[in-house]
Amino acid sequence: MHTKTRRNLILSTGLSLIALLTTVAVAQTSRPSPTPASDEANGTYGNYNVIASAEFGARGLSVNGDQEKYKSDLNYRAGARLFNTSFFVQDHTTGMKLFDEALVQASGWGSDPTGSFRLNMSKAGIYKFDSSVRKVDYYNNLNNFALGYAFPTNFGSEHRFSDVKRHFGDFDLTVFPESQTFRMRFGYSFNNQSGPGTWTMRYPGFEAHTYTPPPVTSGTPLPNTTGTRGDEFLVNSDFKNNSQDFRAGVEGKLLDFNLGLNYGHRNFNDDTRYYLNQFSLGNDTSQATTGTISATVNNFQRTYPTKGSTDFFNFYVQRTFARRFDFSGRFIYGNSTSDIGQIDTGSGTSSGNTTSSTARVIFDLDQIFVTGKVKRPQSRGDIGLTYRITDNFRISNTFNFDQFIIGGTSDFFENMQGRSQFTNANAPNGVPFNSNSHTLFTDGTHYRRFTNLIEADYQVNRRFAFNIGYRYTHRRVALSAFEKNLIGGVTVEDEFEEDSNSTNSLILGTRFKPTNNWNVYVDFEKGQSDNVFTRLSNNDYTSFRVRSITNLKLWTINVSGLIRDNDNPGTSVPISFTNSSTTPPTTVTIPATEAVASTSTRFFSGSVDYSPVDRWSFSAGYTYNHQTSNTDVIVPVGTPVITTGTAFSFAKSLYYVRDNYFFFDVTVKPTKRLTAFVSYRIDNDSGQGDKVATNPFDIITSYPMKFQTPEVKVTYRINDHIDWNFGYQYYSYSERQIPNPYAWVVLAGSPNRLGTVANQNYSAHMPYTSVTIYFGRSDR
Amino acid sequence: MPSTKRLKIVLLAVFAMFAIVWFASGTLYTVLGTSTADDLTGLTMPAAAADDGYVGSDTCAACHEDQFKSFSRTKHSKLGQIKSWKDKVQGCESCHGPGKAHVEGGGDKTKIVNPKHLDPKAASETCLACHAGKESHNNFRRGEHWRNNIGCNDCHSAHPSERAIAENGSMTLIKEQADNKLLKAGEPQLCLSCHNEQKSQFTKPFHHKVLEGTMKCSDCHNAHGGFESKQAKLSVGADVACIKCHSSKQGPFAFEHAPAKLEGCTACHIPHGSSNPKMLKRASVRQLCFECHTGITEELSPQAPSLHNQAQVRYQQCTVCHNAIHGSNSSALFFR
């Protein structure tokens, strides 16, 4: 829709809404109401009830150790801040008034890295308004051992976000919210992200560039100008993307059916810029004067203006027939579109050799222009039915289908101008070139899935109930890729592949109450799930979960456990893998074995809350997470470990979590005016322990770390309305690298790569003081 | 005329038609009504219903003063002010049933409905009689909470003793957010009181800021059930909840990284929290990539080629080169 038309539509809709609300408000008979007596202790001020608390404070900060990791994990800063604050007011006057009740909440503004503001207002019979605005100061440091160490010491590795500001907002208005016959809904959301960071790129492109020079009449023929592989470069980025959502809908009841129809529209823009304004040697810094020299960049600019939009509508229907048969259905149709634009401009050199035919190429100008359009129409439908056969026995069936197609074109044009660095009498300044490539890509993704879950639940008595169910899922996925060289008219790629699979699952569950205040839940599920990773075949999974919640007079005890195993049935036939990277392709045969992809998960969690008297309370908990993932993979390893060329081998990919989490919170009121809060949290993951790879192919990882934070806070009640808080919080983080003799290899010309990366340990001290102001809190 | 524009016009026309039909049916007056200025509490009973054994909430207040007072503070008590509700049963007896026999029986407990003594499903049917018509509640009878006998009264209280207040404990983590949805406790404390194992995940170095109060469990999950797995919400039509905030990953892209759309974000990420950067399921990015891009089967995900020599550190950081891993508009190999 044209921007101006959309603006007019929004404006007219907003004006209509305001007119409607004003009319309705004025229609209310205005009559002065008697003023009741005030009771400030309970928050009653005349016709108003006000319950509020606000905490304003200031934090000190001292960080030792890895500042970047601290900012990535916590990012608390010294300075003033607003903590969990709420303001709730009820207006009991009759006649014209703006609201019956309003709730304002805010937290985290100031020196906190995240903050939120929420406003909820409502007036009976007229409207309900919910809104929230949130901000996040996003700092994401990834320079750690688990991600590898691809760059020299003075560079960060990979993608970092340095103080990227993220803002989110949601506004929802329901008109006539209590009406069962007609309601209107309007909504608006925004989502902005902007800020500096770093990114990586591979330059020049992976594709080798070859220019065949003209023949010479005498002397040494001019060689082909061939640029070989490039290098990885760290570039700067200014992240900037945003989206805006608009929603409108009507709901109501017609012929006893509850109906709803909603329309939504999202605009999305990505104007992120990537740039490199100084000479860069990249990852491989070998710059010998002769022989092989790595790629370099003189400058680089990328603009990435991408605009997208989504239009969707959502229709739902629900009805309960004779209090026995409940039916609900939903249909969603959405169409997302992206308009692609990208412009790259750069100059530099490829890697290559200054003296041989694989000459290093100097790019005086390398420009890429990309345009295109992609669409994704998607439809989703759901039907749920529940039949209450008796008061204790119900049968339900839920059917879902989901289908989408992603398809579009990307028109890729590249112009490269430069010269080879090789010189001879026939080319004293190098062999120049000016070449274009123009490629059209059309890729498609087709997805269709439907799921049916039928289940029955029976309430034997107040103390015991059980349910049984069966789920069937069928899924079909198809991927297509088409690539055509528009200059030569040659179709480079035209592929289509399709896969479909079905899964079956059995679900059992029971709930029983041994006593009135003790509930036990047991769930068992066995069946098949999609094998997300190796695609060998579906996983056979077994999941068993038990939870016990006991609410005694002074105690609440919650214990839960989960056992889940995903096992791939594997194969017992030899697996042949064709290495198409070699010429001619070679075939690697893996001996007959049962290829495995299995994950076992064990979760145990327990917590206790104890509140014997008003003056003190205690809560503590422990969670243990035990996970082992074992997946067979095929990994290529070459020089310098394998000196006879690259070898592919069947290998193990193992991942471990052995995580222990413990916390306790104690609140004590030794006197009427004094309250002390003490808390301690520790998270300790020992990971893989001492397990290391015994061959260069296996990948064994975990993230052993310890994170703990003790905290002490003392609150002094100055009067009925004001508390003064002061406290201290300490954070400590440490991690442990597991040495892997095959992981780190000296890269020629880059002596800093050997060895391990420094652990990102840090500790932080945070003294804190604040004032909390209360209104209407008679419970204090 | 582009098909999208035509679709928008059709939808607007349908919307307008709905409004016209509704206006013409005369229900506006029913919805708007007039204020009941004479009735400050709004807790009245329709005259016709009085013959069915209803006595009105004022009668209940004579004995149950505390419950009446707490009820009077809630939105349920305001229904009497709305004309469209004047012919319906509201007030105490909308949940507890007709009170005449209970009053005449001198407060006989067997002659009044007490949802506390009903099993959770039966008690929830009382609430669903009014609340079932909204999309967020339509599938409560087929949700996980229902299946595990968690009813409306386990999280909500129709006459709460507590009001919308914020509770702090730690200096950095909130305990409860103030709430106006008649919850017995605020988020996240309410959810964590049962789902206590999630607390450890939200304490990991990389996590969604739920314990800090910036996000709520209900931002991603619908506690009242839904058609999606884990009672997750959808956003922007039929997209996963993640896309609501992480809009840069929505696409569509000219070159899709298939699992992102086919399997969902949880194929690679742990949504609550993880020790692994970017909340990934594996500590090492290359490990995550190899578990799909392995030649054990050539279906749908190609094997990493021989030049990706894992003995060299430059090839152990897949996303340094393949940096547009959620999808690219210009490179089939996600180079840009």
Side-chain angles (χ1 to χ4, degrees), chain A residues 648-659:
Chain A
F648 286 87
S649 178
F650 206 52
K652 290 285 183 188
S653 171
L654 297 166
Y655 175 70
Y656 296 89
V657 175
R658 301 287 186 267
D659 186 72

Side-chain angles (χ1 to χ4, degrees), chain A residues 1 24 28 31 51 55 73 81 83-84 90 101 105 114 118 125 134 144 146-147 158-159 170 176-178 180 182 191 200 231-232 250 266 302 310-311 314 316 326 328 330 338 340 342 376 380 382 386 394 410 412 441 443 455 457 459 475 477 497 499 511 521 523 533-536 547 549 558 577 581 605 607 629 631-634 636 638-639 646 653-655 659 681 683 701 711 713 729 731 743 745 768, chain B residues 8 11 15 22 31-32 35 38 40 73 75 82 85 88 121 133-135 138-139 141-142 146-150 163 165 168-173 176-178 193-194 196-197 200 203-205 214 219 227-228 237 239 243-245 247 250 252 254-255 261-263 267 275-278 281-285 287 291-292 294 296-300 303 305-306 308-311 314 316-317 319-321 323 329-330 336:
Chain A
M1 185 185 286
V24 166
Q28 302 290 317
R31 171 180 155 160
I51 303 159
E55 183 170 336
D73 286 353
R81 56 98 76 136
F83 196 34
N84 194 13
Q90 285 180 316
E101 59 183 48
Q105 302 175 75
T114 62
R118 296 186 175 92
R134 292 175 283 190
N144 63 76
L147 294 177
E158 221 203 76
H159 313 139
D170 298 287
F176 314 131
E178 291 86 2
Q180 294 190 317
F182 183 77
N191 177 351
T200 55
D231 195 7
E232 300 85 54
V250 292
R266 165 175 273 195
R302 169 181 296 161
T310 300
D311 290 284
N314 168 346
Y316 76 81
D326 177 75
S328 72
R330 180 183 68 178
S338 289
I340 302 162
Q342 181 176 331
R376 187 185 71 200
R380 189 183 178 110
D382 312 275
T386 299
R394 294 168 182 83
S410 176
F412 183 97
F441 298 93
D443 279 24
E455 54 185 341
D457 71 80
Q459 187 84 31
R475 191 173 80 160
V477 170
E497 54 184 330
D499 183 47
R511 276 83 47 211
Y521 309 89
D523 292 287
F533 289 134
T534 62
R535 289 272 163 229
L536 287 164
R547 188 188 300 280
I549 301 177
N558 184 341
F577 164 68
S581 301
S605 185
S607 67
S629 175
T631 307
D632 286 335
V633 293
I634 293 177
T639 56
T646 300
S653 171
L654 297 166
Y655 175 70
D659 186 72
R681 281 171 282 138
D683 194 345
T701 72
E711 179 181 351
K713 184 176 89 170
Q729 189 163 13
Y731 285 92
V745 175
Y768 177 73
Chain B
K8 289 176 193 171
L11 289 171
F15 179 89
W22 180 77
V31 169
L32 288 179
S35 69
D38 294 328
L40 294 177
R73 290 193 290 258
K75 291 179 186 175
I82 304 169
W85 280 85
K88 296 185 173 61
K121 290 188 171 73
K134 296 180 183 170
E135 187 186 0
N138 278 350
N139 277 298
R141 295 183 181 90
R142 289 166 285 281
W146 173 276
R147 193 177 291 126
N148 285 283
N149 242 18
I150 306 295
R163 291 165 292 178
I165 52 176
N168 299 336
S170 160
M171 290 180 284
T172 47
L173 305 181
E176 295 180 41
Q177 297 203 22
S193 63
C194 287
N196 55 354
E197 67 275 8
S200 69
T203 316
K204 293 278 183 267
T214 307
D219 285 334
F227 287 115
E228 285 68 44
D239 243 324
I243 297 301
K244 184 180 182 319
C245 297
S247 53
Q250 179 181 3
F255 305 98
K261 292 295 188 302
L262 303 182
E263 315 291 352
S275 306
N276 306 322
K278 294 179 173 169
K281 281 188 164 176
R282 298 287 183 268
S284 163
V285 170
Q287 187 177 30
E291 290 191 13
C292 261
T294 183
I296 288 179
T297 169
E298 286 284 346
E299 288 181 27
L300 302 178
Q303 163 73 42
S306 59
H308 287 52
N309 177 4
Q310 293 303 297
R314 75 187 305 181
Q316 294 178 10
Q317 259 281 48
T319 46
V320 167
C321 291
N323 54 55
N329 287 323
S330 57
R336 57 182 89 81

Side-chain angles (χ1 to χ4, degrees), chain B residues 55-70:
Chain B
V55 296
S57 298
D58 287 340
T59 308
C60 310
C63 296
H64 303 282
E65 188 180 345
D66 287 342
Q67 288 88 338
F68 182 82
K69 242 197 227 172
S70 61

